Amino acid sequence: MADALLELDDLAVHYQVGSRFQGGVKALKAVDGITLDVKPGECLGLVGESGCGKSTLALAIMGLVAPTRGVIRLEGRALGARPDRMETARTVQMVFQDPYASLNPRQTVRRTLADPLRLHGVGDKAEIEARVADMMARVGLRPEHADRYPHEFSGGQRQRIGIARALILRPKLVICDEPVSALDVSIRAQIINLLMELKDELGLAYIVISHDLGVVEHVSDRVAVMYLGRIVERGGWREIFENPRHPYTRALIAAIPDPFRRSAATADRKARGEIASALDPPPGCHFHPRCPLRADVCATQAPALEPIADGHLAACHFRDRTG
Amino acid sequence: MLAVLVRRLLNVVPTIAAVVALVFLLFSVLPGSFISGMNEDGRTTIDPAVMERMRKEMGLDDPLAERFVKYLGRTAIGDLGTSFRTREPVTKLIADRLWPSLKLTFAAMLFAIAIGVPLGFVAALKQGSVLDTASMVGAISGLSLPKFWLGLMLMYLFALQLKWLPSFGYGDGGLRHLTLPAIALGVSPMALLARTTRAAVLDVLNADFVRTARSKGMGESRVVTWHVMRNALVLVVTTIGLQFGSLMGQAVVVEKLFSWPGVGSLLVDSVFQRDIPAVQGCILLIVFFFLAINTLIDLAYVLIDPRIRYG
Amino acid sequence: MTTPLLEVRDLRIALDAGGRSHDAVGNVSFSIGRGETFGLVGESGCGKSITALSIMGLLRSPLSLAGGAIALDGREIQDLPAADMRRLRGKRIAMIFQEPMTALNPLSPVGRQIAEMFVLHERASWKEAWERAEDALRQVRVPSPERRVHDYPHQLSGGMRQRVMIAIALACGPDLLVADEPTTALDVTVQAEIVDLMAELCAAKGTAVLMISHDLGLVANMCERVAVMYAGRIVESQAADAIFAHPRHPYTQGLIGSLPLLSARSRHGRQKLREISGVVPSIVAYPPGCRFNPRCPAMTDICARDVPMAESLPDGGLVRCHHHG
Amino acid sequence: MKGGTSLWVGGGLVGLAVLVGVLAPWIHLTDPVLAANLMNAEIPPGREFPFGTDAQGRDIYSRIVHGARISLTVGVISQIANTLIGVTLGLTAGYWGGWWDDLVSGLTNLMLAIPSLIFALAIMAILGPGLTSLLIALGLTSWSYSCRIARAQALSLKSQGYVQAARILGYGDLRIMFTQLLPNMLGPLIVIATLGMGGAILAEATLSFLGLGIRPPYPSWGSMLSEARDQITTAPWLSVFPGLAIFFTVLGLNLLGDGLRDILDPQSVARRT
Amino acid sequence: TPRRGGTIRMTAPYGASMGSLDPHVTPRAQDDILGKALHRTLFNWDSANKKLVLELATSVTASADGLVHTFKLRDDAYFHNGRKMTADDIIFSYTRIMDGSKGYPAARYIRVIKGAVDVEKNQAKEISGLRKIDDTTLEITITDRVDPAYYFFAGSTAILPREEVEKGNFAANPVGLGPFRFKEHIPGSRVVATRWDKFYKPGKPYADTFVLQIMAEAAARDLAFRSKEIDTSILGPAQYVAYRADPELSKGVMEVAEMFTRAMVLNPSFKPFSDKRVRQAINHAIDTDLIIKRLVKDKAYRATSWLPLSSPAYDKALKPYAFDPDKAKKLLAEAGYPDGFEFELTTSQNESWGLPIVEAMIPYLARVGIKVKPKLVEVTVLTEIAMKGEHQAYIGSNLTGPDSLATLRCFYSKTPRTACNYSSFNNPAFDKLLDEAAQSGDMAKRNDLLRQANLLVQDEAPVWFFNYNKAVMAYQPWIHGLQANPTEITHQYVEDIWIDERSPAK
Ligand SMILES: Nc1ncnc2c1ncn2[C@@H]1O[C@H](COP(=O)(O)OP(=O)(O)OP(=O)(O)O)[C@@H](O)[C@H]1O
Ligand SMILES: Nc1ncnc2c1ncn2[C@@H]1O[C@H](COP(=O)(O)OP(=O)(O)OP(=O)(O)O)[C@@H](O)[C@H]1O
Ligand SMILES: [Mg+2]
Ligand SMILES: [Mg+2]
């Protein structure tokens, strides 16, 4: 087993929200004790509903928000309280969800790609030129696009620029936060395919964040399912999709309308009720108010994330109950 | 409501403290002294010996820091000092002017709201029409004139030519004398309000919930009265607050022109005569008024916007 | 043959931009029977929402109805006087919008926004209307409706707000509900619930639904018949089962092939997704002929020249392609 | 009103004023100061003096032309100063947040609470009348608007993908502010500055009225207007022309600001199309 | 015959508010407009005969050495609170003015009384030179052989009733001896007073009400006057022309040569101005007559030297400096400035003796090579600068009457700069003339000496002699009894004024 590229150990990010004068300051536990690792060349899928802390996790890894507790280790080095951003930048990069907001409207593609190189000490003009051209070709942009501004591109092309920017420093790990959900349906396949090709060509590791289970199943080697700041289940993609053990995972899968199967069959697996607020999560198992398997113990004790089989863990008191 | 008030007041305290300090420092470096200020009309000669003694008497020769501390102490207990010019307490000087000043600002704002808001509303509802264009050009024109010039024109037209209204003065403080200065002062907030209202109404008209209302089968007039008005108001209220709050300060020119006995003309006079305690008092009052109005506006928000009430 | 509840014939919607008129939607025809659920899919910007708005009579400048007919129960409604149209709206045709966050008036309690329906269409007194609003909330399964009627939209979660929207739309028992992407903004698990709720209530009231979505899976799952729109035209319409099993139009085919569907990988292993090359054309630059031609793998000369006619399929569908297979 | 029309009309008026100001040395007929000839005093507009002459016998046309320079200088320089101060404070406050933000917000509230006219009055009284003092007085007192805008923009832009991307790529704070934030907030700032220029020209006139205007003898429109006010009934042309010059320039600036707002503010673009 | 009743509506044109209604507190000319209605002083200016006359006394006798003056006071003067005035009130008032801790401006006049300075310095409680003989007889001993009239006529030496002053808050409720009693004061807007029936002049005042409107804005005043809302207005040059040209308005224009001399004071500590030839050159270089005619619109009289027209020692034969640029150039060349020089001229915005005049001077001086850099300041600052001598030159207006000796003392070498010797004038010959004049008891001789001194000032040209003010007051046709007061035209004896039926204010 290769050494992990990224390790998270009990990582937590709490935001302070509210004001002193109005209802007092509260801690919003956006990420609350996550342990994960990503190995070189591997793709980790991260699913969960809106607000469960996926993006926060990504930002914490990137050093953009300070963890409240826990450790982030990159290639075995723990990131300190003031991580070396330059070093981190050359190891991990990120692709954003919204291709419209993630490109500076006042910069040409060339500047967007060349500036980081310059910043990271690639001083040689010719080399910068070459690397920009190479990266553009890899993501399927034509050389003449280099001097255009973002508004001259379609959403799919912009996302390609975003990917090129993430890869220009040759990182080892790329976090893709909802890389296709803002794109036209007919464009998504292009971007997913591109990501997969680049992964193989450059030997990248990915964390793909998505709420689209189809996408996650398609791209991931391993999958982690998050609910209100915690991981409720993780394991290889096959285990998660074919043998989900957490009722939330099952509810997620059941909620996807399957054009080949009418929904009646899965009605009993569906979750009911609203997602609780991260500010005020239910006690015990966060999922229990919506859980079809709910029992008294769920409201009082938070289940630990424990293994079911090798590399397949679930945080449920009834993790052994199948289907 | 109470929470908002408390929070607001807590925010206001440092602002006032800063204003107090700033005003003191600004005016302690003012050239000229009140004694030479007595010679404002250039028709008075002053006895230098007297001058020296008075400087000493009023503590003007003390070190700055000492004066500052004394000043802070006095101001904190609401004592604004004694006017150099009239040798009366500044609080009395200001109290005399407060009521006319409030009358003028409120009348001007009333005018601005009564004309500006409906104008903006109609312009927005008839977007693109001649009426819209005309009222917006008019509004921008209203913003492009110096106030004193506008005031003179009003006097010329309504007092001299038409003889409808007195051209100046306080009279019995009634509407006849109030009208012209209030209009001169109210035109620019009126123009601003008309523009903000128009933009706000257009914004709301384009909001999704207005489309929802239409999809319910509601007629345009009901859409406007049930759903557009209040929402537009929320956007307009901030402008009202800012305009209203700064109006007492802007009144300086109008008061001077119309011989209106407000705080603004007292301020200008005091500046020219170097009556520093009076100047400081006036500015404090103007700032206080601004903060008070904006606190009221904050409370108004709480009343009209449930998102704040329960937020 | 009975007259369908809604019949849209040759609908054309013009968009004025920069002094020129563009054909935002053209040649759109479909019909919906009583109590039927009809799906309209297509990607962003293809004209689904404006089609829905034209049915509601809510197109506003710069968009306008440029041709075609919309018939409700056989009566053409596209040219009705404003007052008559207003009486239909909400009462007989209701609509749910995509954004539950902004579709409700933030300054008005939700109860009042429901009650307005009864006051407007059934001349109820406000008092009575408020009571009925509470019932309506109960019907859409909002917990403790007696408290919730007094809540303001910002106090409700997205799912709750969409329930309120449904309550408003169904308040007067309309014959047709136009649901424009009612769940796109919601989380998957919540979406499933809302869709179920809508289906259930409409079935109970016999309300027909025009379900608009960009999610083929969702529409196929819910609807009896589905139409696929591309660049302002309906390119294919078929029974829901058939469209997945036998997509006829190259665009539909491409779309189905390009989606990483759930459990496709477990069934078939990881395969490269089928791409649809090119990008969605902009409304100001729709290509001549078949609007899909620049991206179509089966494109020939005729595609760039002639607009394909809608052809009926043996099993009751329609397809608009020169080369449909 | 269509954004386009107001943009063109406003741009035209402002352009004209700028042109006049720039060309002043070539297009004025006589020297606005030295060519006084008391024998020509107070001649109404006519062939020899298109705008008439003032009490000193100076050609009003020449003085208006020359005044354009000074009035526009006042508008432009004071707004540049306001914008620089406002942006520096607002941008850093919005981007860094924390105590610095609290401090800047407090300062902004303070500046808002003291009406800028009164602030300017105080500064003018301290420094004495004159162009430099006027520039200081107007340039230091109304930055709160651009500061608020810059802060709000910085707050909203800093969570934009491209700013985050820049941070992830290792950009330093200053570099982010200069290359990522600043260029993208110029639109609303330009609008504010344009409107502020009109405000400054009016403020100059008002200060002149209060006796704290520009250093003589070179004329600004405001000082001309305020000098002429005693002769409104006797020699109206003395005030009509500077009045019109101010009115049209400020109107132009306001229209231009509106027009720019329409093209620079994406929200209102959406509203138009 | 004068009509009784009606309202007099006068204007206070010099500032946006009254200084104080306590006449001792304020030295401002504007406040004295009201003072003339509410208060009285021992002496008064008689405009008709152009001299100072007794007001609160019926007779005065001087001792042989001219130092002890015995006043027989009126016994029909009543304060507005109903009490009769006595010698004690005068003693009280003068003693109050000498309260050194308050620095009342009139102290400079009262100081002439023997022992006043001791009170000021807090070395005595009472002024030894004031002695009450009985209720209506007062003896005043003064320190110099001067005419006491010049010292006890200023409004700031008004006689006030002790009991009212000691109540405190006198400024809010002023009580005096004048023809009108205070009714209301709306600060910044107006003061209203009503007829005092026990006023000592029988049948006076005529009007029921006296209103003083505060209106500093000339443009607003013009509009208000034309719309008949005020009865009197002070005119500036522009309006002077317009009013004179108007067939209706021209009937109500009153002119008077006021005792103010306008001049540009040249500071000899600025090198070029230390040379008499340069100063003379400046006087020759400017076409002063033309400026007065065209710019000031004849609303002024050409100044020949320092003493104004109505001054007793004024020399009618004296010719002003001629406009002669060539001579000016020659003088400059002789003084060593053939190419001229540059100086900074401090000025206020005042339309009659400020900025506009400077602007008109600039081209003239430019023609002889002198470059003027105007420096605009507020009047307040101007005074300050003049007192400190920080200017190279400043232009201003100077009170120059009615006492010629006091007026010329501004050039006496021992007079400090702060007490009006702004040009630091120092000329032994002049000092000698002035000393002799002061010694001389003979009025004619004194005036002759002063005339010579005045001539000397002209030749030395410590200033550019500009003009003597012509004050112009416009009045409505229905107001009668106004006097042309050369000390200050706005100072009217309101008891003599009456209003006929045509007044809109009734
Ligand atoms: N800067 C912040 N300050 C306070 N709360 C925050 C902040 N950023 C995020 N949150 C809150 O933290 C929680 C997790 O947010 P996060 O953006 O990580 O969720 P997510 O899983 O990425 O959701 P989505 O799918 O909507 O992107 C949410 O409740 C969000 O409101
Ligand atoms: N008010 C409008 N002004 C200008 N263009 C408009 C307007 N409304 C819609 N359009 C244009 O008409 C076309 C169709 O829009 P429509 O909203 O119907 O798309 P849609 O299929 O509903 O897309 P989505 O899935 O994003 O909701 C789009 O190209 C859009 O840009
Ligand atoms: Mg996210
Ligand atoms: Mg849509």
Side-chain angles (χ1 to χ4, degrees), chain A residues 257-278:
Chain A
D258 183 341
F260 299 104
R261 208 172 345 121
R262 289 278 160 159
S263 54
T266 55
D268 57 330
R269 297 172 152 210
K270 285 187 177 173
R272 294 273 157 227
E274 300 289 330
I275 305 170
S277 140

Side-chain angles (χ1 to χ4, degrees), chain E residues 126-240:
Chain E
E126 285 164 6
I127 299 177
S128 59
L130 286 176
R131 199 160 67 86
K132 171 181 171 182
I133 312 285
D134 59 45
D135 268 0
T136 57
T137 316
L138 178 69
E139 187 187 280
I140 301 181
T141 313
I142 56 179
T143 54
D144 280 327
R145 278 188 59 151
V146 291
D147 182 354
Y150 289 122
Y151 292 82
F152 304 131
F153 88 100
S156 48
T157 60
I159 307 305
L160 307 180
R162 166 180 238 135
E163 65 276 19
E164 298 294 333
V165 173
E166 284 176 350
K167 271 185 202 162
N169 210 7
F170 185 77
N173 297 293
V175 172
L177 291 162
F180 288 88
R181 65 187 293 189
F182 172 78
K183 178 152 168 257
E184 78 170 341
H185 176 206
I186 299 177
S189 182
R190 62 158 187 257
V191 187
V192 181
T194 53
R195 185 216 313 273
W196 173 231
D197 284 321
K198 285 166 98 173
F199 185 60
Y200 49 78
K201 293 185 187 163
K204 292 185 178 176
Y206 301 114
D208 288 337
T209 314
F210 170 79
V211 180
L212 185 64
Q213 296 282 4
I214 297 160
M215 295 189 78
E217 253 316 295
R221 222 162 46 229
D222 178 32
L223 287 166
F225 187 82
R226 287 167 185 265
S227 54
K228 306 189 181 359
E229 291 171 62
I230 50 179
D231 295 340
T232 65
S233 171
I234 291 294
L235 300 186
Q239 288 157 6
Y240 177 54

Side-chain angles (χ1 to χ4, degrees), chain D residues 162-207:
Chain D
Y162 59 88
V163 180
Q164 301 225 345
R167 294 177 66 189
I168 288 171
L169 286 165
Y171 283 42
D173 284 356
L174 285 182
R175 187 186 295 265
I176 288 180
M177 284 188 236
F178 268 100
T179 63
Q180 310 292 315
L181 297 178
L182 194 56
N184 288 296
M185 58 170 70
L186 283 180
L189 288 174
I190 288 174
V191 172
I192 285 286
T194 315
L195 298 176
M197 272 177 219
I201 292 176
L202 288 183
E204 186 265 325
T206 303
L207 287 172

Side-chain angles (χ1 to χ4, degrees), chain E residues 28 156 261 351 431 457 481:
Chain E
R28 299 170 69 214
S156 48
T261 303
E351 64 168 342
D431 285 359
V457 171

Side-chain angles (χ1 to χ4, degrees), chain B residues 32 36-40 43-45 47 50 53 57 85-87 166-168 170-171 259 261 269 272 274, chain E residues 14 16-19 27-28 100-103 108 111 187 189-190 214-215 229 258 378-381 383-384 488:
Chain B
S36 41
M38 287 176 166
N39 191 19
E40 176 203 37
R43 308 198 146 210
T44 322
T45 9
D47 191 336
V50 174
R53 187 148 347 95
E57 213 55 53
R85 179 167 57 95
T86 69
R87 308 191 186 182
S167 64
F168 78 101
Y170 186 64
S259 302
D269 252 24
F272 286 129
R274 301 297 186 258
Chain E
Y14 302 125
S17 53
M18 305 299 282
R28 299 170 69 214
S101 68
K102 295 281 165 41
R108 60 197 289 243
R111 235 175 257 139
S189 182
R190 62 158 187 257
I214 297 160
M215 295 189 78
E229 291 171 62
E258 266 186 359
E378 294 163 57
V379 179
T380 322
V381 181
T383 316
E384 190 109 310
E488 166 61 62

Side-chain angles (χ1 to χ4, degrees), chain A residues 15 17 28 30 49-57 97 178 211 278:
Chain A
Y15 292 113
V17 295
L28 187 152
E49 284 169 293
S50 181
C52 70
K54 308 182 294 288
S55 301
T56 304
L57 183 63
Q97 166 171 6
E178 311 262 10
H211 60 254

Side-chain angles (χ1 to χ4, degrees), chain A residues 97 159 177-184 188 191-192 195 210 215:
Chain A
Q97 166 171 6
Q159 200 60 312
D177 189 357
E178 311 262 10
V180 295
S181 58
L183 299 178
D184 280 340
R188 289 184 185 176
I191 297 298
I192 294 173
L195 282 174
S210 180
V215 172

